[in-house]
Amino acid sequence: MSYTEIAAALGITKGRITQIRSTAPVAERVFFGVGPVSIGVPYRYQTTDRERPLIAAEDAETGNQLEVLLTSMSLGTSRYTIEPERTEVPAGDVIVVCGPKSAPIGADLMAQDPALGMVEDDGRWWIEQRVDGSRVGSPTDDPKQPQPADVAYVARHMIDNRVIVHIAGIHGIGSLGATHYLTTHLAEVFREVGAQPMSMVVRATYDGLAITDSELAAGPYVW
């Protein structure tokens, strides 16, 4: 419908329709569902003065930045932690920041992706294309010339009429890099894939906990 037709149907002016449209949340927010969106990051048991559950600084910052992104698009948020034994995804629209090594929930979601997966080979993790077996590894793990860069897996699932966004960096900083990419490139990703299930690989460079740049490394692959 045209703006004039919408205005007539609602009994308001065309100018008011334009005003509503200009102040409405961006269309690409549907990538994360309708909200509210639960954001989950993993904790791991590590020993300091005693064994205790700890959340890595990179994962904590990823959760914070995702909350900022969703709030900027007028989506309500909540937070939860992903225990090492967790297999169930919370109800509603969800973001799962978790690799297959951290908890079964990460491995189970990734197993549903027909395009990409993560594999471990000789102590090093890779993101692998299922069709031809080609792999993308973290530059941080390069044995000859390690670089301050990492890669991350990003997927969007539609399960039981809700959205589950899955983010898994090879290292924790990779998930933060993926969040940086979504923050700066979500509109173009949405223009390409719409609201379809998909996955992609993001590469990011970093300085400490600061992401200095992020780019698409492979995909997006719609499934």
Side-chain angles (χ1 to χ4, degrees):
M1 298 173 69
S2 68
Y3 291 163
T4 300
E5 292 169 332
I6 294 171
L10 295 178
I12 59 179
T13 66
K14 181 180 177 181
R16 178 59 179 148
I17 292 293
T18 303
Q19 183 184 38
I20 292 172
R21 183 178 181 276
S22 66
T23 57
V26 293
E28 58 267 23
R29 80 175 194 154
V30 76
F31 183 88
F32 295 101
V34 297
V37 181
S38 299
I39 303 168
V41 298
Y43 71 72
R44 302 168 180 84
Y45 283 101
Q46 297 182 13
T47 301
T48 51
D49 56 321
R50 59 185 174 86
E51 187 176 71
R52 63 179 70 193
L54 298 174
I55 296 177
E58 296 89 344
D59 291 329
E61 184 60 19
T62 296
N64 293 339
Q65 291 301 317
L66 285 168
E67 189 170 15
V68 170
L69 171 60
L70 297 178
T71 301
S72 73
M73 296 187 292
S74 301
L75 284 167
T77 65
S78 61
R79 302 285 284 269
Y80 70 99
T81 54
I82 300 172
E83 306 88 349
E85 302 82 16
R86 180 183 276 266
T87 59
E88 297 297 322
V89 180
D93 296 325
V94 177
I95 300 177
V96 176
V97 182
C98 179
K101 184 179 179 180
S102 298
I105 188 176
D108 293 346
L109 282 173
M110 202 168 286
Q112 300 178 49
D113 183 342
L116 297 171
M118 271 190 180
V119 296
E120 186 180 16
D121 187 3
D122 196 23
R124 182 176 177 183
W125 283 88
W126 305 80
I127 301 175
E128 182 177 79
Q129 294 197 33
R130 299 195 192 277
V131 173
D132 60 9
S134 59
R135 296 175 175 180
V136 179
S138 173
T140 299
D141 297 329
D142 190 307
K144 296 181 179 179
Q145 289 185 312
Q147 303 171 44
D150 197 21
V151 293
Y153 166 93
V154 180
R156 181 184 191 271
H157 295 262
M158 286 293 298
I159 301 175
D160 299 329
N161 295 316
R162 64 197 181 106
V163 174
I164 300 174
V165 173
H166 183 199
I167 299 173
I170 288 185
H171 301 285
I173 196 70
S175 298
L176 188 57
T179 301
H180 181 276
Y181 183 81
L182 290 173
T183 300
T184 53
H185 295 86
L186 183 60
E188 63 187 76
V189 172
F190 182 71
R191 282 195 297 270
E192 184 168 351
V193 305
Q196 302 176 88
M198 51 73 68
S199 55
M200 60 186 179
V201 182
V202 172
R203 183 184 188 276
T205 55
Y206 59 88
D207 181 6
L209 279 180
I211 302 300
T212 55
D213 194 21
S214 60
E215 62 183 2
L216 189 65
Y221 305 104
V222 174
W223 18 279

Coordinates of all heavy atoms in Angstrom, one line a residue, residues 141-220:
D141 N 45.9 -18.4 16.1 CA 46.5 -19.7 16.3 C 47.5 -20.1 15.2 O 48.0 -21.3 15.2 CB 45.4 -20.8 16.3 CG 44.4 -20.6 17.4 OD1 44.9 -20.1 18.5 OD2 43.2 -20.9 17.3
D142 N 47.8 -19.2 14.3 CA 48.8 -19.5 13.2 C 50.1 -19.8 13.9 O 50.7 -19.0 14.6 CB 48.9 -18.3 12.3 CG 49.7 -18.6 11.0 OD1 50.8 -19.1 11.2 OD2 49.2 -18.4 9.9
P143 N 50.7 -21.0 13.6 CA 51.9 -21.4 14.3 C 53.1 -20.6 13.8 O 54.1 -20.5 14.6 CB 52.1 -22.9 14.0 CG 51.3 -23.0 12.7 CD 50.2 -22.1 12.8
K144 N 53.1 -20.0 12.6 CA 54.2 -19.3 12.1 C 54.1 -17.8 12.3 O 55.1 -17.2 12.7 CB 54.4 -19.6 10.6 CG 54.7 -21.0 10.3 CD 54.8 -21.2 8.8 CE 55.2 -22.7 8.5 NZ 55.3 -23.0 7.0
Q145 N 53.0 -17.2 12.0 CA 52.8 -15.8 12.2 C 51.5 -15.5 12.9 O 50.5 -15.0 12.2 CB 52.9 -15.1 10.8 CG 54.2 -15.1 10.2 CD 54.3 -14.3 8.9 OE1 53.4 -14.4 8.0 NE2 55.2 -13.4 8.8
P146 N 51.4 -15.7 14.2 CA 50.1 -15.4 14.9 C 49.8 -13.9 14.8 O 50.7 -13.0 14.9 CB 50.4 -15.8 16.3 CG 51.9 -15.8 16.4 CD 52.4 -16.2 15.1
Q147 N 48.5 -13.5 14.6 CA 48.1 -12.2 14.5 C 47.0 -11.9 15.5 O 46.3 -12.8 15.9 CB 47.6 -11.9 13.1 CG 48.6 -12.2 12.0 CD 47.9 -12.2 10.6 OE1 47.1 -11.3 10.3 NE2 48.2 -13.2 9.8
P148 N 46.8 -10.6 15.9 CA 45.7 -10.3 16.8 C 44.4 -10.2 16.0 O 43.8 -9.1 15.8 CB 46.1 -8.9 17.3 CG 46.9 -8.3 16.2 CD 47.7 -9.4 15.6
A149 N 43.9 -11.4 15.7 CA 42.6 -11.5 14.9 C 42.0 -12.8 15.2 O 42.7 -13.8 15.6 CB 42.9 -11.3 13.4
D150 N 40.7 -12.9 15.1 CA 40.0 -14.2 15.3 C 38.8 -14.3 14.4 O 38.4 -13.3 13.7 CB 39.5 -14.2 16.8 CG 39.2 -15.6 17.2 OD1 39.6 -16.6 16.6 OD2 38.4 -15.7 18.2
V151 N 38.2 -15.4 14.3 CA 37.1 -15.6 13.4 C 35.9 -16.2 14.3 O 36.2 -16.8 15.3 CB 37.4 -16.6 12.2 CG1 38.3 -15.9 11.3 CG2 37.9 -17.9 12.7
A152 N 34.7 -16.0 13.8 CA 33.5 -16.5 14.6 C 32.5 -17.0 13.6 O 32.3 -16.5 12.5 CB 33.0 -15.3 15.4
Y153 N 31.7 -17.9 14.1 CA 30.6 -18.4 13.4 C 29.3 -17.7 13.9 O 29.2 -17.4 15.1 CB 30.5 -19.9 13.8 CG 29.2 -20.6 13.5 CD1 29.0 -21.3 12.3 CD2 28.1 -20.6 14.4 CE1 27.8 -22.0 12.0 CE2 27.0 -21.3 14.2 CZ 26.8 -22.0 13.0 OH 25.6 -22.6 12.7
V154 N 28.5 -17.3 13.0 CA 27.2 -16.7 13.3 C 26.1 -17.3 12.5 O 26.2 -17.5 11.3 CB 27.2 -15.2 12.9 CG1 25.9 -14.5 13.3 CG2 28.4 -14.4 13.6
A155 N 25.0 -17.7 13.2 CA 23.9 -18.4 12.6 C 22.6 -17.8 13.1 O 22.5 -17.3 14.2 CB 23.9 -19.9 12.8
R156 N 21.6 -17.9 12.2 CA 20.2 -17.5 12.6 C 19.3 -18.6 12.4 O 19.1 -19.0 11.2 CB 19.8 -16.3 11.8 CG 18.4 -15.7 12.2 CD 17.9 -14.6 11.2 NE 16.7 -14.0 11.7 CZ 15.5 -14.3 11.4 NH1 15.3 -15.4 10.6 NH2 14.4 -13.7 11.9
H157 N 18.7 -19.2 13.4 CA 17.8 -20.3 13.3 C 16.4 -19.9 13.5 O 16.1 -18.9 14.2 CB 18.1 -21.4 14.4 CG 19.4 -22.0 14.3 ND1 19.6 -23.3 13.8 CD2 20.6 -21.6 14.8 CE1 20.9 -23.6 13.9 NE2 21.5 -22.6 14.5
M158 N 15.5 -20.5 12.8 CA 14.0 -20.4 13.1 C 13.5 -21.7 13.6 O 13.5 -22.7 12.9 CB 13.3 -20.0 11.8 CG 13.5 -18.5 11.4 SD 12.8 -17.3 12.5 CE 11.1 -17.8 12.4
I159 N 13.2 -21.8 14.9 CA 12.8 -23.0 15.5 C 11.5 -22.7 16.3 O 11.5 -21.9 17.2 CB 13.9 -23.6 16.4 CG1 15.2 -23.8 15.6 CG2 13.4 -24.8 17.2 CD1 16.4 -24.3 16.5
D160 N 10.5 -23.5 16.0 CA 9.2 -23.3 16.7 C 8.7 -21.9 16.7 O 8.3 -21.3 17.7 CB 9.3 -23.8 18.1 CG 9.7 -25.3 18.2 OD1 9.3 -26.0 17.3 OD2 10.4 -25.7 19.2
N161 N 8.8 -21.2 15.5 CA 8.3 -19.8 15.4 C 9.0 -18.8 16.3 O 8.4 -17.8 16.7 CB 6.8 -19.8 15.6 CG 6.0 -20.6 14.6 OD1 6.3 -20.5 13.4 ND2 5.0 -21.3 15.1
R162 N 10.3 -19.1 16.6 CA 11.1 -18.1 17.3 C 12.5 -18.1 16.7 O 12.9 -19.0 16.0 CB 11.1 -18.4 18.8 CG 11.8 -19.8 19.1 CD 11.5 -20.2 20.5 NE 12.1 -21.5 20.9 CZ 13.2 -21.5 21.7 NH1 13.7 -20.5 22.2 NH2 13.7 -22.7 22.0
V163 N 13.2 -17.0 17.0 CA 14.5 -16.8 16.5 C 15.6 -17.2 17.5 O 15.5 -16.8 18.6 CB 14.7 -15.4 16.0 CG1 16.2 -15.2 15.5 CG2 13.8 -15.0 14.9
I164 N 16.6 -18.0 17.1 CA 17.7 -18.3 17.9 C 19.0 -17.9 17.1 O 19.3 -18.4 16.1 CB 17.8 -19.8 18.2 CG1 16.6 -20.2 19.0 CG2 19.1 -20.0 19.1 CD1 16.5 -21.7 19.3
V165 N 19.6 -16.8 17.6 CA 20.9 -16.4 16.9 C 22.0 -17.1 17.7 O 22.1 -17.0 18.9 CB 21.0 -14.9 17.0 CG1 22.4 -14.4 16.5 CG2 19.9 -14.2 16.1
H166 N 22.9 -17.7 17.0 CA 24.0 -18.5 17.6 C 25.3 -17.8 17.2 O 25.6 -17.7 16.0 CB 24.0 -19.9 17.2 CG 25.0 -20.8 17.8 ND1 25.4 -22.0 17.3 CD2 25.8 -20.6 18.9 CE1 26.3 -22.5 18.0 NE2 26.6 -21.7 19.0
I167 N 26.1 -17.4 18.2 CA 27.4 -16.8 17.9 C 28.5 -17.7 18.6 O 28.4 -18.0 19.8 CB 27.5 -15.4 18.4 CG1 26.4 -14.5 17.7 CG2 28.9 -14.8 18.3 CD1 26.3 -13.1 18.3
A168 N 29.5 -18.1 17.9 CA 30.6 -18.9 18.5 C 32.0 -18.5 17.9 O 32.3 -18.8 16.7 CB 30.3 -20.4 18.2
G169 N 32.7 -17.7 18.6 CA 34.1 -17.4 18.2 C 35.0 -18.6 18.5 O 34.8 -19.4 19.4
I170 N 36.0 -18.8 17.6 CA 37.0 -19.8 17.9 C 37.6 -19.5 19.3 O 37.9 -20.4 20.1 CB 38.0 -19.9 16.8 CG1 37.4 -20.5 15.6 CG2 39.3 -20.7 17.3 CD1 38.3 -20.8 14.4
H171 N 37.9 -18.2 19.6 CA 38.2 -17.8 20.9 C 37.2 -16.8 21.3 O 36.4 -16.3 20.5 CB 39.6 -17.1 20.9 CG 40.7 -18.0 20.4 ND1 41.2 -19.0 21.2 CD2 41.4 -18.1 19.3 CE1 42.1 -19.7 20.6 NE2 42.3 -19.1 19.4
G172 N 37.1 -16.4 22.6 CA 36.1 -15.5 23.1 C 36.1 -14.2 22.4 O 35.0 -13.6 22.1
I173 N 37.2 -13.7 22.0 CA 37.3 -12.4 21.3 C 36.6 -12.4 20.0 O 36.2 -11.4 19.4 CB 38.8 -11.9 21.2 CG1 38.9 -10.4 20.9 CG2 39.6 -12.8 20.2 CD1 38.4 -9.5 22.0
G174 N 36.6 -13.6 19.4 CA 35.9 -13.8 18.1 C 34.4 -13.5 18.2 O 33.8 -12.9 17.3
S175 N 33.8 -13.9 19.3 CA 32.4 -13.6 19.5 C 32.2 -12.1 19.6 O 31.2 -11.5 19.1 CB 31.9 -14.3 20.7 OG 31.9 -15.7 20.6
L176 N 33.1 -11.4 20.3 CA 33.0 -9.9 20.4 C 33.2 -9.3 19.0 O 32.5 -8.3 18.7 CB 34.1 -9.4 21.3 CG 34.0 -7.9 21.7 CD1 32.7 -7.6 22.3 CD2 35.1 -7.6 22.7
G177 N 34.0 -9.9 18.2 CA 34.2 -9.4 16.8 C 33.0 -9.6 16.0 O 32.6 -8.7 15.2
A178 N 32.3 -10.7 16.2 CA 31.0 -11.0 15.5 C 30.0 -10.0 15.9 O 29.2 -9.5 15.0 CB 30.5 -12.4 15.7
T179 N 29.9 -9.6 17.1 CA 29.0 -8.6 17.6 C 29.3 -7.3 17.0 O 28.4 -6.5 16.6 CB 29.0 -8.5 19.2 OG1 28.7 -9.8 19.7 CG2 28.1 -7.5 19.7
H180 N 30.5 -6.9 16.9 CA 31.0 -5.7 16.2 C 30.5 -5.7 14.8 O 29.9 -4.7 14.3 CB 32.5 -5.6 16.3 CG 33.0 -4.3 15.6 ND1 33.2 -4.2 14.3 CD2 33.4 -3.1 16.2 CE1 33.7 -3.0 14.0 NE2 33.8 -2.4 15.1
Y181 N 30.6 -6.8 14.1 CA 30.1 -6.9 12.7 C 28.6 -6.7 12.6 O 28.1 -6.0 11.7 CB 30.6 -8.2 12.1 CG 30.2 -8.3 10.6 CD1 31.0 -7.6 9.6 CD2 29.1 -8.9 10.2 CE1 30.7 -7.7 8.3 CE2 28.7 -9.0 8.8 CZ 29.5 -8.4 7.9 OH 29.2 -8.4 6.6
L182 N 27.9 -7.4 13.5 CA 26.4 -7.2 13.4 C 26.0 -5.8 13.7 O 25.0 -5.3 13.2 CB 25.8 -8.2 14.4 CG 25.9 -9.7 14.1 CD1 25.4 -10.5 15.2 CD2 25.1 -10.0 12.8
T183 N 26.7 -5.2 14.6 CA 26.4 -3.8 15.0 C 26.6 -2.8 13.8 O 25.8 -1.9 13.6 CB 27.3 -3.3 16.2 OG1 27.0 -4.2 17.3 CG2 27.0 -1.9 16.6
T184 N 27.6 -3.1 13.0 CA 28.0 -2.1 11.9 C 27.4 -2.6 10.6 O 27.4 -1.8 9.6 CB 29.5 -2.0 11.8 OG1 30.1 -3.3 11.7 CG2 30.0 -1.3 13.1
H185 N 27.0 -3.9 10.4 CA 26.6 -4.3 9.1 C 25.3 -5.1 9.1 O 25.0 -5.7 8.1 CB 27.7 -5.3 8.5 CG 29.0 -4.6 8.3 ND1 30.0 -4.5 9.2 CD2 29.5 -4.1 7.1 CE1 31.0 -3.9 8.7 NE2 30.8 -3.6 7.4
L186 N 24.5 -5.0 10.2 CA 23.3 -5.7 10.2 C 22.3 -5.4 9.1 O 21.7 -6.3 8.5 CB 22.6 -5.5 11.6 CG 21.3 -6.3 11.8 CD1 21.6 -7.8 11.7 CD2 20.7 -6.0 13.1
A187 N 22.2 -4.1 8.7 CA 21.3 -3.7 7.7 C 21.6 -4.4 6.3 O 20.7 -4.9 5.7 CB 21.4 -2.2 7.5
E188 N 22.9 -4.5 6.0 CA 23.3 -5.1 4.7 C 23.1 -6.6 4.8 O 22.7 -7.2 3.8 CB 24.7 -4.7 4.3 CG 25.8 -5.2 5.2 CD 27.1 -4.6 4.7 OE1 27.4 -3.4 5.0 OE2 27.9 -5.4 4.2
V189 N 23.3 -7.2 5.9 CA 23.1 -8.6 6.1 C 21.6 -8.9 5.9 O 21.2 -9.8 5.2 CB 23.6 -9.2 7.4 CG1 23.1 -10.6 7.7 CG2 25.1 -9.1 7.6
F190 N 20.8 -8.1 6.5 CA 19.3 -8.3 6.4 C 18.8 -8.1 5.0 O 17.9 -8.8 4.5 CB 18.6 -7.3 7.4 CG 17.1 -7.5 7.4 CD1 16.5 -8.6 7.9 CD2 16.3 -6.5 6.8 CE1 15.2 -8.7 7.9 CE2 14.9 -6.6 6.8 CZ 14.3 -7.8 7.4
R191 N 19.4 -7.1 4.3 CA 19.0 -6.9 2.9 C 19.3 -8.1 2.0 O 18.6 -8.4 1.1 CB 19.7 -5.7 2.3 CG 19.1 -4.3 2.7 CD 19.6 -3.2 1.8 NE 21.1 -3.0 1.9 CZ 21.7 -2.2 2.8 NH1 20.9 -1.5 3.7 NH2 23.0 -2.1 2.9
E192 N 20.4 -8.8 2.4 CA 20.7 -10.0 1.6 C 20.0 -11.3 2.0 O 19.6 -12.0 1.1 CB 22.3 -10.3 1.8 CG 22.8 -11.4 0.9 CD 24.3 -11.5 0.8 OE1 24.9 -10.5 1.3 OE2 24.8 -12.4 0.3
V193 N 19.7 -11.5 3.2 CA 19.1 -12.8 3.7 C 17.7 -12.6 4.2 O 17.0 -13.6 4.3 CB 20.0 -13.5 4.7 CG1 21.4 -13.6 4.2 CG2 20.0 -12.7 6.0
G194 N 17.3 -11.4 4.5 CA 16.0 -11.2 5.1 C 15.8 -11.9 6.4 O 16.7 -11.9 7.2
A195 N 14.7 -12.6 6.6 CA 14.4 -13.3 7.8 C 14.6 -14.8 7.7 O 14.0 -15.5 8.4 CB 13.0 -12.9 8.3
Q196 N 15.4 -15.2 6.8 CA 15.6 -16.6 6.5 C 16.7 -17.2 7.5 O 17.6 -16.4 7.9 CB 16.1 -16.8 5.1 CG 15.1 -16.3 4.0 CD 15.6 -16.5 2.6 OE1 15.5 -17.5 2.0 NE2 16.3 -15.5 2.1
P197 N 16.7 -18.5 7.8 CA 17.8 -19.1 8.5 C 19.1 -19.0 7.7 O 19.0 -19.2 6.4 CB 17.3 -20.6 8.6 CG 15.8 -20.5 8.5 CD 15.6 -19.4 7.5
M198 N 20.2 -18.7 8.3 CA 21.4 -18.5 7.6 C 22.6 -18.7 8.5 O 22.4 -18.8 9.8 CB 21.5 -17.1 7.0 CG 21.2 -16.0 8.0 SD 22.5 -15.6 9.2 CE 23.8 -15.0 8.1
S199 N 23.8 -18.8 8.0 CA 25.0 -18.8 8.7 C 26.1 -18.1 7.9 O 26.1 -18.0 6.7 CB 25.4 -20.2 9.2 OG 25.6 -21.0 8.0
M200 N 27.1 -17.6 8.7 CA 28.3 -16.9 8.0 C 29.5 -16.9 9.0 O 29.4 -17.3 10.1 CB 27.9 -15.5 7.7 CG 27.5 -14.6 8.9 SD 26.9 -13.0 8.4 CE 26.5 -12.3 10.0
V201 N 30.6 -16.5 8.4 CA 31.8 -16.5 9.2 C 32.3 -15.0 9.2 O 32.3 -14.3 8.1 CB 32.9 -17.4 8.6 CG1 34.2 -17.3 9.5 CG2 32.4 -18.8 8.5
V202 N 32.7 -14.5 10.4 CA 33.1 -13.1 10.5 C 34.6 -13.2 11.0 O 34.9 -14.0 11.9 CB 32.3 -12.4 11.5 CG1 32.9 -11.0 11.9 CG2 30.9 -12.2 11.0
R203 N 35.4 -12.3 10.4 CA 36.8 -12.2 10.9 C 37.0 -10.8 11.5 O 36.4 -9.8 11.0 CB 37.8 -12.3 9.7 CG 39.2 -12.2 10.1 CD 40.1 -12.3 8.8 NE 41.5 -12.4 9.1 CZ 42.3 -11.3 9.4 NH1 41.8 -10.1 9.4 NH2 43.6 -11.5 9.7
A204 N 37.7 -10.7 12.6 CA 37.8 -9.4 13.3 C 39.3 -9.3 13.8 O 39.9 -10.3 14.2 CB 36.8 -9.3 14.4
T205 N 39.8 -8.1 13.8 CA 41.0 -7.8 14.4 C 40.8 -7.0 15.8 O 39.7 -6.4 16.0 CB 41.9 -6.9 13.5 OG1 41.2 -5.7 13.2 CG2 42.3 -7.6 12.3
Y206 N 41.7 -7.1 16.7 CA 41.5 -6.6 18.0 C 42.8 -6.1 18.6 O 43.9 -6.4 18.2 CB 40.9 -7.7 18.9 CG 41.8 -8.9 19.1 CD1 42.7 -9.0 20.1 CD2 41.6 -10.0 18.3 CE1 43.5 -10.1 20.3 CE2 42.4 -11.2 18.4 CZ 43.3 -11.2 19.4 OH 44.1 -12.3 19.6
D207 N 42.6 -5.2 19.6 CA 43.7 -4.7 20.5 C 43.2 -4.8 21.9 O 42.4 -4.0 22.3 CB 44.0 -3.3 20.1 CG 45.1 -2.7 20.9 OD1 45.7 -3.4 21.7 OD2 45.4 -1.5 20.7
G208 N 43.6 -5.8 22.6 CA 43.1 -6.1 23.9 C 41.6 -6.5 23.8 O 41.3 -7.4 23.1
L209 N 40.7 -5.8 24.5 CA 39.3 -6.1 24.4 C 38.6 -5.2 23.4 O 37.4 -5.3 23.2 CB 38.6 -6.0 25.7 CG 38.7 -7.1 26.7 CD1 38.0 -6.8 28.0 CD2 38.2 -8.4 26.1
A210 N 39.3 -4.4 22.7 CA 38.8 -3.5 21.7 C 38.8 -4.1 20.3 O 39.9 -4.5 19.8 CB 39.5 -2.1 21.7
I211 N 37.7 -4.2 19.6 CA 37.7 -4.7 18.2 C 38.0 -3.5 17.3 O 37.4 -2.4 17.4 CB 36.3 -5.2 17.8 CG1 35.9 -6.4 18.8 CG2 36.3 -5.7 16.4 CD1 36.9 -7.6 18.7
T212 N 39.1 -3.7 16.5 CA 39.5 -2.6 15.7 C 38.9 -2.6 14.3 O 38.8 -1.6 13.6 CB 41.1 -2.6 15.5 OG1 41.5 -3.9 15.1 CG2 41.7 -2.3 16.9
D213 N 38.5 -3.8 13.8 CA 37.8 -3.9 12.5 C 37.1 -5.3 12.4 O 37.6 -6.2 13.1 CB 38.8 -3.8 11.4 CG 38.2 -3.5 10.1 OD1 37.0 -3.1 10.0 OD2 38.8 -3.8 9.0
S214 N 36.1 -5.4 11.6 CA 35.5 -6.7 11.4 C 35.0 -6.8 10.0 O 34.6 -5.7 9.4 CB 34.3 -6.9 12.4 OG 33.3 -5.9 12.2
E215 N 34.9 -8.0 9.4 CA 34.5 -8.1 8.0 C 34.0 -9.5 7.8 O 34.2 -10.4 8.6 CB 35.7 -7.9 7.1 CG 36.8 -9.0 7.3 CD 38.1 -8.7 6.4 OE1 38.0 -7.7 5.7 OE2 39.0 -9.5 6.5
L216 N 33.2 -9.7 6.8 CA 32.7 -11.0 6.4 C 33.8 -11.8 5.8 O 34.4 -11.4 4.9 CB 31.5 -10.8 5.4 CG 30.7 -12.0 5.1 CD1 29.9 -12.5 6.3 CD2 29.7 -11.7 4.0
A217 N 33.9 -13.0 6.3 CA 35.0 -13.9 5.8 C 34.4 -15.0 4.9 O 35.1 -15.5 4.0 CB 35.7 -14.6 7.0
A218 N 33.1 -15.4 5.1 CA 32.5 -16.4 4.3 C 31.0 -16.3 4.5 O 30.5 -16.0 5.6 CB 32.9 -17.8 4.7
G219 N 30.2 -16.5 3.4 CA 28.8 -16.5 3.5 C 28.2 -15.1 3.2 O 28.9 -14.2 2.6
P220 N 27.0 -14.8 3.6 CA 26.1 -15.7 4.4 C 25.5 -16.7 3.5 O 25.3 -16.5 2.3 CB 25.0 -14.7 4.9 CG 25.0 -13.6 3.9 CD 26.4 -13.4 3.4

